[in-house]
Short mmCIF file of all heavy atoms in Angstrom, two decimals:
data_model
loop_
_atom_site.label_atom_id
_atom_site.label_comp_id
_atom_site.label_asym_id
_atom_site.label_seq_id
_atom_site.Cartn_x
_atom_site.Cartn_y
_atom_site.Cartn_z
N VAL A 1 55.90 -15.88 46.44
CA VAL A 1 55.97 -17.34 46.49
C VAL A 1 56.73 -17.77 47.74
O VAL A 1 57.80 -17.23 48.04
CB VAL A 1 56.68 -17.92 45.25
CG1 VAL A 1 56.56 -19.44 45.24
CG2 VAL A 1 56.10 -17.35 43.97
N THR A 2 56.19 -18.76 48.44
CA THR A 2 56.89 -19.28 49.61
C THR A 2 56.60 -20.76 49.81
O THR A 2 55.53 -21.24 49.43
CB THR A 2 56.47 -18.52 50.89
OG1 THR A 2 57.26 -18.96 52.00
CG2 THR A 2 54.99 -18.74 51.22
N ASP A 3 57.56 -21.46 50.37
CA ASP A 3 57.28 -22.78 50.93
C ASP A 3 56.47 -22.59 52.20
O ASP A 3 56.64 -21.59 52.91
CB ASP A 3 58.58 -23.50 51.30
CG ASP A 3 59.35 -24.00 50.09
OD1 ASP A 3 58.72 -24.33 49.08
OD2 ASP A 3 60.59 -24.06 50.17
N ALA A 4 55.59 -23.52 52.51
CA ALA A 4 54.88 -23.48 53.79
C ALA A 4 55.80 -23.99 54.90
O ALA A 4 55.92 -23.37 55.96
CB ALA A 4 53.60 -24.31 53.73
N VAL A 5 56.45 -25.12 54.65
CA VAL A 5 57.50 -25.66 55.52
C VAL A 5 58.78 -25.73 54.69
O VAL A 5 58.77 -26.30 53.60
CB VAL A 5 57.13 -27.05 56.06
CG1 VAL A 5 58.32 -27.68 56.79
CG2 VAL A 5 55.93 -26.97 56.99
N PHE A 6 59.84 -25.16 55.18
CA PHE A 6 61.08 -25.10 54.42
C PHE A 6 61.83 -26.42 54.55
O PHE A 6 62.07 -26.93 55.65
CB PHE A 6 61.93 -23.91 54.88
CG PHE A 6 61.29 -22.61 54.53
CD1 PHE A 6 60.42 -21.98 55.40
CD2 PHE A 6 61.51 -22.02 53.28
CE1 PHE A 6 59.79 -20.79 55.06
CE2 PHE A 6 60.88 -20.84 52.93
CZ PHE A 6 60.02 -20.23 53.82
N SER A 7 62.18 -26.97 53.39
CA SER A 7 62.58 -28.37 53.31
C SER A 7 63.89 -28.70 54.02
O SER A 7 64.08 -29.85 54.42
CB SER A 7 62.69 -28.79 51.84
OG SER A 7 63.66 -28.01 51.15
N MET A 8 64.80 -27.75 54.15
CA MET A 8 66.09 -28.06 54.77
C MET A 8 66.19 -27.60 56.22
O MET A 8 67.03 -28.08 56.97
CB MET A 8 67.23 -27.42 53.96
CG MET A 8 67.42 -28.03 52.59
SD MET A 8 67.88 -29.78 52.69
CE MET A 8 66.47 -30.54 51.88
N ASP A 9 65.34 -26.66 56.63
CA ASP A 9 65.37 -26.16 58.01
C ASP A 9 64.18 -26.64 58.83
O ASP A 9 64.25 -26.67 60.05
CB ASP A 9 65.42 -24.63 58.02
CG ASP A 9 66.76 -24.09 57.55
OD1 ASP A 9 67.02 -24.12 56.34
OD2 ASP A 9 67.55 -23.68 58.40
N GLY A 10 63.08 -26.98 58.15
CA GLY A 10 61.92 -27.48 58.85
C GLY A 10 61.07 -26.43 59.54
O GLY A 10 60.10 -26.76 60.22
N ASP A 11 61.42 -25.14 59.37
CA ASP A 11 60.61 -24.10 60.00
C ASP A 11 59.45 -23.69 59.10
O ASP A 11 59.39 -24.05 57.93
CB ASP A 11 61.48 -22.89 60.38
CG ASP A 11 62.25 -22.33 59.19
OD1 ASP A 11 62.40 -23.03 58.17
OD2 ASP A 11 62.69 -21.17 59.28
N LEU A 12 58.51 -22.93 59.66
CA LEU A 12 57.28 -22.58 58.97
C LEU A 12 57.32 -21.15 58.45
O LEU A 12 57.92 -20.27 59.05
CB LEU A 12 56.08 -22.74 59.91
CG LEU A 12 55.99 -24.02 60.74
CD1 LEU A 12 54.68 -24.05 61.52
CD2 LEU A 12 56.11 -25.26 59.87
N ALA A 13 56.65 -20.92 57.33
CA ALA A 13 56.53 -19.58 56.78
C ALA A 13 55.51 -18.78 57.59
O ALA A 13 54.52 -19.35 58.09
CB ALA A 13 56.09 -19.64 55.32
N PRO A 14 55.69 -17.47 57.73
CA PRO A 14 54.73 -16.62 58.44
C PRO A 14 53.54 -16.30 57.53
O PRO A 14 53.40 -15.19 57.01
CB PRO A 14 55.56 -15.37 58.77
CG PRO A 14 56.56 -15.28 57.67
CD PRO A 14 56.88 -16.71 57.28
N LEU A 15 52.67 -17.26 57.36
CA LEU A 15 51.61 -17.14 56.36
C LEU A 15 50.63 -16.02 56.65
O LEU A 15 50.12 -15.37 55.73
CB LEU A 15 50.88 -18.48 56.22
CG LEU A 15 51.72 -19.64 55.67
CD1 LEU A 15 50.90 -20.92 55.61
CD2 LEU A 15 52.26 -19.29 54.29
N GLN A 16 50.32 -15.76 57.93
CA GLN A 16 49.39 -14.67 58.23
C GLN A 16 49.94 -13.34 57.74
O GLN A 16 49.22 -12.55 57.10
CB GLN A 16 49.12 -14.59 59.74
CG GLN A 16 48.36 -15.78 60.30
CD GLN A 16 49.28 -16.79 60.94
OE1 GLN A 16 50.44 -16.92 60.54
NE2 GLN A 16 48.79 -17.52 61.93
N GLU A 17 51.22 -13.08 58.00
CA GLU A 17 51.83 -11.82 57.56
C GLU A 17 51.91 -11.74 56.04
O GLU A 17 51.73 -10.67 55.46
CB GLU A 17 53.23 -11.68 58.17
CG GLU A 17 53.23 -11.48 59.68
CD GLU A 17 53.29 -12.79 60.46
OE1 GLU A 17 52.90 -13.84 59.91
OE2 GLU A 17 53.72 -12.74 61.63
N LEU A 18 52.17 -12.87 55.40
CA LEU A 18 52.24 -12.89 53.94
C LEU A 18 50.88 -12.56 53.32
O LEU A 18 50.80 -11.83 52.32
CB LEU A 18 52.72 -14.25 53.45
CG LEU A 18 54.20 -14.54 53.66
CD1 LEU A 18 54.51 -16.01 53.48
CD2 LEU A 18 55.05 -13.70 52.71
N VAL A 19 49.81 -13.06 53.92
CA VAL A 19 48.46 -12.73 53.43
C VAL A 19 48.19 -11.24 53.56
O VAL A 19 47.67 -10.60 52.63
CB VAL A 19 47.40 -13.56 54.19
CG1 VAL A 19 46.01 -12.98 53.96
CG2 VAL A 19 47.45 -15.02 53.75
N LEU A 20 48.55 -10.66 54.69
CA LEU A 20 48.32 -9.22 54.89
C LEU A 20 49.10 -8.39 53.87
O LEU A 20 48.58 -7.41 53.31
CB LEU A 20 48.71 -8.83 56.31
CG LEU A 20 47.84 -9.39 57.44
CD1 LEU A 20 48.42 -9.03 58.80
CD2 LEU A 20 46.41 -8.85 57.32
N LEU A 21 50.35 -8.78 53.60
CA LEU A 21 51.17 -8.03 52.66
C LEU A 21 50.66 -8.18 51.23
O LEU A 21 50.66 -7.21 50.45
CB LEU A 21 52.63 -8.49 52.76
CG LEU A 21 53.39 -8.01 53.99
CD1 LEU A 21 54.75 -8.67 54.07
CD2 LEU A 21 53.56 -6.49 53.95
N LYS A 22 50.23 -9.35 50.87
CA LYS A 22 49.74 -9.55 49.50
C LYS A 22 48.47 -8.74 49.28
O LYS A 22 48.25 -8.20 48.18
CB LYS A 22 49.55 -11.03 49.20
CG LYS A 22 48.26 -11.66 49.67
CD LYS A 22 47.26 -11.87 48.55
CE LYS A 22 45.99 -12.54 49.07
NZ LYS A 22 44.99 -12.77 48.01
N GLU A 23 47.63 -8.62 50.30
CA GLU A 23 46.42 -7.81 50.16
C GLU A 23 46.74 -6.32 50.12
O GLU A 23 46.16 -5.57 49.33
CB GLU A 23 45.46 -8.12 51.32
CG GLU A 23 44.88 -9.54 51.24
CD GLU A 23 44.03 -9.88 52.44
OE1 GLU A 23 44.10 -9.15 53.46
OE2 GLU A 23 43.31 -10.90 52.37
N GLU A 24 47.70 -5.89 50.93
CA GLU A 24 48.07 -4.48 50.97
C GLU A 24 48.67 -4.00 49.66
O GLU A 24 48.40 -2.88 49.21
CB GLU A 24 49.06 -4.25 52.12
CG GLU A 24 49.51 -2.79 52.26
CD GLU A 24 50.48 -2.59 53.41
OE1 GLU A 24 50.65 -3.53 54.23
OE2 GLU A 24 51.07 -1.50 53.49
N TYR A 25 49.45 -4.86 49.02
CA TYR A 25 50.16 -4.44 47.81
C TYR A 25 49.56 -5.02 46.52
O TYR A 25 50.13 -4.84 45.45
CB TYR A 25 51.64 -4.83 47.92
CG TYR A 25 52.39 -3.95 48.89
CD1 TYR A 25 52.52 -4.31 50.24
CD2 TYR A 25 52.95 -2.74 48.48
CE1 TYR A 25 53.19 -3.50 51.13
CE2 TYR A 25 53.63 -1.92 49.37
CZ TYR A 25 53.74 -2.30 50.70
OH TYR A 25 54.41 -1.49 51.59
N GLY A 26 48.42 -5.68 46.62
CA GLY A 26 47.76 -6.18 45.43
C GLY A 26 48.55 -7.26 44.71
O GLY A 26 48.60 -7.29 43.48
N ALA A 27 49.16 -8.15 45.47
CA ALA A 27 49.98 -9.22 44.88
C ALA A 27 49.19 -10.52 44.83
O ALA A 27 48.13 -10.67 45.45
CB ALA A 27 51.26 -9.41 45.69
#
């Protein structure tokens, strides 16, 4: 689970890497 944009810092989640990891580990 991740925020796309983090509400207090305003930075972005590394969504491409998260997709690769979820596919690799079956999450």
Side-chain angles (χ1 to χ4, degrees):
V1 188
T2 185
D3 286 330
V5 172
F6 293 90
S7 60
M8 292 298 117
D9 289 76
D11 55 342
L12 313 184
L15 295 179
Q16 293 98 331
E17 292 90 337
L18 286 166
V19 165
L20 292 174
L21 285 173
K22 82 103 178 181
E23 291 175 346
E24 180 179 349
Y25 287 92

